[in-house]
Amino acid sequence: MAGLSLRCGDCGAHLKSVEEAQEHAELTSHTNFSESTEAVLNLVCTACGKPCRSKIETDLHTKRTGHADFVDKTSEAAKPIELEAPKAPMESEESAVAPAESNQSEEMVVPEVDKNLLAELESMGFPTARATRALHFSGNSSLEAAINWVADHEDDPDIDQMPMVPVNTQAETGKLSLTPEEVKMKAQELRERARKKKEEEEKKMEREREKERIRIGKELLEAKRIEEENERKRLLALRKAEKEEEKRAREKIRQKLEEDKAERRRKLGLPPEDPEAAKPSSTVVEEKKSFLPVRPASKAERMRDCLRSLKQHQKDEDAKVKRAFQTLLTYVGNIAKNPDEEKFRKIRVNNPTFQDRVGSLHGGIDFLEICGFQKLDNNEFLFLPRDKVDMAVLNSAGSELNSAIANPFFGVL
């Protein structure tokens, strides 16, 4: 199959003619070219008709004009490449077409342009043919005029073809009007404008990146908030399930007690208990209360009530309750082991550790007072006198504390 393009082996670019390959070699110093069956892309903008030869060109065109629709006409424009030496075109952009009846064709040459301006344009990245055409048709006046001409004619199909003019026209071309100093000033001005434009684009890109960082930060915060909300809902559901489980456990225990009671009545030969009859009326209760003597609560029961109150007031902080119970057990155990040591029988109430573990909790100080501690010096100290140390009371306190620590249902049922 005939070659449809020339491929640069150094950078991979596809070129559609020998002229383009020569210009590419002059600009890049690449010399490794080979014939390729892959045609040069021809993506035509449906809005303005501009041809683009790569995805990069289409992206730049879209960014500059907003046109985003392109038609692939690569197959229509593809044709076998001519590997013969390129021939100079026979007409320029503004030269008139020779009459059909002319017997001789006028000799055409490349127009002379300012070499310094041409070098400046080439250093800025313009191909030699495009820079020569721009200088020629802008009148060799300035770099700015040449660049403006390129901007106005970048869609011309022959923008990268070397301009040709008749010999007579070339001979009549006037001399340049700018001095070398003016050319340098113009070039410096253009470079400065290009630098400022690049800085503005970089600032714009930085603003876009900052906006993107802010957007990502907001999304991360929102995701974290949703995750925390889901975790809170999960904990609430778990706590509700635990309460339901405790409720079922209490009901099961109650049913078991009722069954045991009914079994005992059956073994004793008593009739089953009537639930309605088993409930004494309020009047009967009041009468019983009024006639029966009330047994005062023992110290062990009062201790148990203090511990139960402490647990219920801190029902959502099991670790804190357990630490309070263990601290009280330590106080009681130290006194029981060393009753003569005053340091174990005297507690500073405003001590931060004591306040955090026992003093600030409901029922903590009351428990110690039941054990025999007394408040001294305007409630600044809790003190257990040596003669008030009761080993039976301390042993009861230790038993109640151990039971509260070991029983998972303590204070719940």
Side-chain angles (χ1 to χ4, degrees), residues 329-355:
L329 184 61
T330 301
Y331 285 142
V332 172
N334 287 337
I335 296 172
K337 294 176 182 177
N338 306 281
D340 296 327
E341 291 289 341
E342 182 176 341
K343 65 179 180 179
F344 295 129
R345 294 183 283 107
K346 190 172 184 179
I347 303 173
R348 184 182 293 275
V349 176
N350 59 0
N351 181 279
T353 303
F354 174 76
Q355 281 293 322

Side-chain angles (χ1 to χ4, degrees), residues 4 29-30 37 70 121 126 186 202 216 227 248 308 339 363 378:
L4 299 178
S29 300
H30 297 167
T37 57
F70 295 87
L121 289 174
F126 291 100
K186 286 287 185 181
E202 290 178 350
I216 293 175
E227 183 180 358
R248 288 193 294 270
R308 185 180 295 109
N378 294 326

Side-chain angles (χ1 to χ4, degrees), residues 50 54 60 68 74 85 96 107 148 152 166 175 199 209-210 219-220 233-234 242 260 296 313 338 340 344 364-365 398:
K50 174 178 172 56
S54 66
L60 292 175
T74 304
E107 184 179 359
N148 290 336
D152 294 337
K175 294 185 178 180
E199 289 179 354
R209 286 193 290 268
E210 182 64 23
E219 290 180 354
L220 290 176
K233 291 180 179 179
R234 188 186 69 81
E242 290 176 350
D260 292 344
H313 279 79
N338 306 281
D340 296 327
F344 295 129
I365 293 180

Side-chain angles (χ1 to χ4, degrees), residues 18-207:
V18 176
E19 287 180 338
E20 284 191 2
Q22 290 175 346
E23 292 178 5
H24 182 77
E26 292 176 0
L27 292 173
T28 62
S29 300
H30 297 167
T31 58
N32 184 15
F33 296 93
S34 61
E35 190 175 0
S36 174
T37 57
E38 183 178 351
V40 178
L41 282 178
N42 185 23
L43 304 175
V44 180
C45 177
T46 57
C48 63
K50 174 178 172 56
C52 298
R53 298 174 58 175
S54 66
K55 184 66 170 59
I56 297 176
E57 289 189 18
T58 59
D59 292 343
L60 292 175
H61 182 71
T62 300
K63 183 177 180 181
R64 185 172 62 253
T65 64
H67 303 162
D69 294 330
F70 295 87
V71 178
D72 190 351
K73 295 186 177 181
T74 304
S75 59
E76 298 178 7
K79 60 181 180 179
I81 192 169
E82 296 290 341
L83 297 180
E84 298 180 358
K87 297 181 180 180
M90 298 303 295
E91 56 183 35
S92 64
E93 184 176 312
E94 295 183 352
S95 62
V97 179
E101 62 272 15
S102 176
N103 294 328
Q104 296 180 349
S105 60
E106 190 173 6
E107 184 179 359
M108 308 295 286
V109 295
V110 177
E112 293 184 2
V113 295
D114 187 288
K115 302 299 183 183
N116 294 326
L117 294 180
L118 180 62
E120 289 286 344
L121 289 174
E122 289 178 341
S123 66
M124 295 171 68
F126 291 100
T128 303
R130 184 177 296 195
T132 303
R133 180 176 287 273
L135 288 172
H136 172 67
F137 289 114
S138 63
N140 279 310
S141 57
S142 65
L143 280 176
E144 184 176 3
I147 293 175
N148 290 336
W149 186 93
V150 171
D152 294 337
H153 296 80
E154 63 177 349
D155 295 334
D156 294 352
D158 58 350
I159 184 67
D160 289 322
Q161 294 182 7
M162 189 68 73
M164 305 297 290
V165 298
V167 176
N168 295 336
T169 304
Q170 176 63 25
E172 295 173 359
T173 302
K175 294 185 178 180
L176 299 174
S177 58
L178 293 178
T179 63
E181 290 75 11
E182 291 175 335
V183 171
K184 290 182 180 179
M185 291 178 62
K186 286 287 185 181
Q188 181 63 27
E189 180 182 354
L190 288 175
R191 283 193 291 269
E192 185 66 20
R193 287 173 60 184
R195 183 185 63 79
K196 289 181 178 180
K197 184 177 181 181
K198 183 178 180 181
E199 289 179 354
E200 291 177 357
E201 291 179 353
E202 290 178 350
K203 290 180 180 179
K204 183 178 179 181
M205 292 297 294
E206 182 61 29
R207 287 194 297 269

